[in-house]
Amino acid sequence: MATGNAKTVDVNGISYRWPSKPVVVVCIDGGDPAYLRQFLADGAIPNIARFMRQGFATIADGTVPSFTCPNNMSIITGTPASKHGISGNYYLDTATGEAVVMTGPELLRGDTILARFAAAGAKVVSITAKDKLRKQLGKNLDLTRGNVSFSSERADKCTLAENGIENVLELVGMPLPDMYSMELSLFVLEAGVKLLERGHRDLMYLSLTDYVQHKYAPAESEARRFYQELDQRFGRLEALGAVVALTADHGMNDKSDAAGKPNVIWLQDILDARFGKGDTTVICPITDAFVAHHGALGGFVRVWCRGRTTPEQVIAAVRDIKGLESVLDKETACAVHDLPHDREADVVVIAAADVCVGGSAAAHDLSGLAGHRLRTHGGVSEAKVPIILSAPLNDEYKLKAGATTLKSYQIFDLALNGVAQ
Ligand SMILES: [Zn+2]
């Protein structure tokens, strides 16, 4: 590079330019483009509208399955799931037959952009709403030199040794938020604002939670209030001199019928009835410790053949079920959706936009919906996400963005290399 500020950091085969201004990347969890359309139309999000006018905006392809962990890992590594290895919140360890939670940093392959920049001397901040993501986001991140990694969920328990920061509630000026609240996300952004004010000026990754989008459709006033609160904080981040880059991990679709009853295909029950109990194992990779707002139902499940039944038999048995968008064998699923082969199931089942797939009806607790329609994600139909930058692209990246559909995991590339400086 011929410019004076030629320092770059290489991560997983991509060279990232050293930021000349603070760069704040925000993952609006469950930030379906439909919310932006609604609130842009009614003028509720003036800062985002301004970013779109003065900067850059497009709809990008997220990682499939359109779940939180795979997409967050794609974003912070700049790679597809086939490279970073995190293809769900859960997978089946075929050696033990146990479902394994995929949030351990040891399961994440390759380096994160955050850790590599920190190692090169940048001041890096990583904040997430739910603690489940924190350790992977903070993989190999050196927290002894002023870098910060914590979650809203455990903001009251931060220590210098574990998080690189303490007294977070005082810093942010908010009480510890409830796990099922919009404040859990707002806390992340408020913390980002406060840290930016205090001079954490290089690279920031702020990852929210999709509680509001699971619960409220774009037309509902609670969703509007949430987006207004987000928008106000995005404006403050930009006013502090940051390049603000917004994307989402996945979208969100209503998956209930006209009467409000969830459209669910209970796949484990269907397979057990056809092949006998224990012969196949359905894993719902949306599952985490906090599922009241979606009952662990999503648009993408995996089937492992544990007994005599073959993948071909499973595919033949479920292929024609109404409401499924695709039923794929392992090879095809890995090829089409760029997934890691060693963690893939024998059969991948993806639902249509208005349908979700579960395991066994008895294993899913839907009481947490408490009268709300089921809104969830996971399939291809929830993999379209926005990318919005507060600053315009340079000519090279304008051409790139015009020639192809961007991937959401290019957000750091866009914000660091693509912004006109
Ligand atoms: Zn999510």
Side-chain angles (χ1 to χ4, degrees):
M1 207 172 272
T3 59
N5 187 12
K7 187 172 178 183
T8 58
V9 176
D10 292 347
V11 192
N12 305 319
I14 294 179
S15 195
Y16 295 91
R17 195 166 59 182
W18 197 264
S20 59
K21 295 169 120 188
V23 165
V24 180
V25 174
V26 182
C27 177
I28 306 173
D29 199 313
D32 195 283
Y35 290 96
L36 291 178
R37 280 196 296 274
Q38 171 84 28
F39 304 134
L40 286 167
D42 66 14
I45 47 175
N47 290 302
I48 296 175
R50 185 167 45 79
F51 294 172
M52 293 175 74
R53 273 198 314 276
Q54 75 193 17
F56 171 75
T58 192
I59 301 293
D61 285 331
T63 293
V64 173
S66 52
F67 293 128
T68 301
C69 290
N71 275 280
N72 272 274
M73 294 310 114
S74 290
I75 289 168
I76 61 155
T77 60
T79 63
S82 60
K83 295 257 168 41
H84 63 67
I86 306 301
S87 55
N89 302 353
Y90 269 89
Y91 79 114
L92 189 79
D93 182 341
T94 48
T96 62
E98 297 289 317
V100 179
V101 62
M102 287 177 92
T103 53
E106 69 287 352
L107 293 171
L108 176 63
R109 294 166 180 155
D111 292 320
T112 75
I113 297 163
L114 306 174
R116 298 283 301 150
F117 265 91
K123 227 168 186 193
V124 172
V125 170
S126 164
I127 310 174
T128 172
K130 292 183 178 180
D131 203 64
K132 72 171 181 187
L133 271 178
R134 179 181 54 87
K135 286 196 170 145
Q136 280 180 344
L137 293 179
K139 185 189 173 187
N140 292 338
L141 183 59
D142 180 358
L143 296 171
T144 64
R145 289 184 295 101
N147 300 315
V148 169
S149 169
F150 69 90
S151 68
S152 306
E153 178 184 348
R154 294 175 61 86
D156 60 333
K157 300 196 173 60
C158 289
T159 63
L160 283 172
E162 181 84 4
N163 309 98
I165 190 169
E166 54 191 358
N167 303 322
V168 171
L169 297 184
E170 275 170 42
L171 168 80
V172 176
M174 286 172 67
L176 187 72
D178 188 81
M179 280 307 289
Y180 297 108
S181 72
M182 72 170 67
E183 282 71 26
L184 198 70
S185 288
L186 300 181
F187 193 99
V188 173
L189 293 177
E190 200 60 39
V193 168
K194 296 284 161 54
L195 286 169
L196 201 57
E197 283 171 352
R198 290 197 170 192
H200 282 263
R201 304 201 64 86
D202 292 327
L203 212 49
M204 217 176 252
Y205 183 59
L206 308 176
S207 188
L208 312 183
T209 178
D210 56 9
Y211 162 77
V212 169
Q213 292 91 336
H214 272 290
K215 203 163 180 183
Y216 301 106
E220 293 181 80
S221 62
E222 284 298 290
R224 172 175 295 96
R225 191 163 77 79
F226 181 54
Y227 268 75
Q228 285 172 323
E229 297 282 353
L230 298 182
D231 184 76
Q232 188 248 97
R233 287 164 180 84
F234 297 154
R236 284 162 65 203
L237 289 167
E238 196 217 15
L240 287 164
V243 171
V244 181
L246 310 174
T247 190
D249 53 350
H250 52 77
M252 192 68 71
N253 273 315
D254 186 316
K255 294 173 188 286
S256 294
D257 64 15
K261 191 171 161 284
N263 296 319
V264 190
I265 295 166
W266 299 111
L267 196 64
Q268 187 72 71
D269 292 341
I270 291 169
L271 293 173
D272 287 353
R274 176 74 175 73
F275 301 112
K277 240 183 164 45
D279 218 54
T280 60
T281 301
V282 174
I283 297 282
C284 301
I286 191 174
T287 311
D288 74 8
F290 303 94
V291 298
H293 50 320
H294 54 68
L297 290 169
F300 181 111
V301 298
R302 298 189 154 103
V303 186
W304 272 268
C305 296
R306 308 286 297 151
R308 286 159 294 130
T309 310
T310 65
E312 292 72 27
Q313 288 174 305
V314 170
I315 291 169
V318 304
R319 190 168 42 202
D320 295 328
I321 295 174
K322 198 168 164 283
L324 294 182
E325 182 178 291
S326 58
V327 179
L328 308 172
D329 63 30
K330 180 181 193 158
E331 294 301 327
T332 312
C334 289
V336 172
H337 297 302
D338 216 345
L339 292 163
H341 198 269
D342 60 326
R343 289 174 185 166
E344 198 43 78
D346 298 305
V347 179
V348 163
V349 177
I350 303 175
D354 60 343
V355 173
C356 57
V357 197
S360 176
H364 291 261
D365 178 7
L366 298 184
S367 62
L369 289 177
H372 284 268
R373 297 174 66 83
L374 178 65
R375 301 174 52 75
T376 189
H377 55 93
V380 175
S381 43
E382 293 89 29
K384 289 287 181 193
V385 294
I387 284 185
I388 296 169
L389 302 178
S390 64
L393 291 181
N394 57 35
D395 290 343
E396 181 194 344
Y397 274 74
K398 262 184 210 156
L399 278 176
K400 247 190 205 185
T404 172
T405 302
L406 295 172
K407 306 278 189 191
S408 58
Y409 62 70
Q410 293 174 287
I411 187 100
F412 274 100
D413 182 20
L414 290 163
L416 288 162
N417 298 329
V419 165
Q421 303 208 11

